[in-house]
Amino acid sequence: MMITTGTRNVLIGLGSVCVTAIVLANAFYQRKQFYPAIVYLTKSNASMAAIYFQGLTLVFWAWKTARFIFFGQLRPAEIEHLVDKSWFALTDTCLAFTVFRDDFSSSFVALFTILLFLKCFHWLAEDRIDFMERTPVISRLFHIRAVGLLVTLSFLDLFFVAYAYNSLVTKGVSFQLVFGFEVC
């Protein structure tokens, strides 16, 4: 029996939700109170792995949803450019972060994921605008999606640059410096 990609993604998402629910229920069943249960969850490697996998699943579904809203179906050329640029950006950014290896934490992983997420959407926006310049007939939906995407990306860029700046001013030099330069 062949399982389609969409069905597989749904099954993985549902499995992740079930595992996370079981982990949370187990923690609260064993500890009976909120604070001891949270301490148990954060100290247990298996629990944190389940929670991180749930986070990864949520990021995947956020990516799929945002991609559908702002782009619809991606063209093969866009997918190829995205994969090519992603590998270079991933290795380049990981090399830049070796300087700040002592700052590695869950917030670091979250910001790194957001950074890659935003970079991918910038590249896709660039490809779509290039496609728009070469296509004679563009629908109104295409324009609405493009403007919505560019406004959203501009807002998020400003927010994260301000966040990196404030972090740099208050906490000193940290990995936020690299995030600030990578977003720009």
Side-chain angles (χ1 to χ4, degrees), residues 70-134:
F70 290 120
F71 297 104
Q73 188 69 27
L74 291 179
R75 295 178 296 119
E78 292 171 335
I79 294 171
E80 182 181 339
H81 288 145
L82 186 62
V83 170
D84 289 344
K85 290 179 180 180
S86 295
W87 281 113
F88 287 117
L90 186 65
T91 56
D92 182 40
T93 308
C94 285
L95 286 174
F97 286 139
T98 58
V99 176
F100 302 105
R101 64 183 170 270
D102 296 334
D103 294 339
F104 195 77
S105 65
S106 57
S107 64
F108 173 85
V109 172
L111 286 173
F112 182 67
T113 304
I114 291 170
L115 174 70
L116 288 178
F117 196 81
L118 290 176
K119 285 181 109 172
C120 288
F121 275 99
H122 278 286
W123 298 326
L124 288 172
E126 179 183 357
D127 285 345
R128 279 293 163 105
I129 299 303
D130 183 50
F131 175 73
M132 184 176 77
E133 291 174 348
R134 291 183 281 119

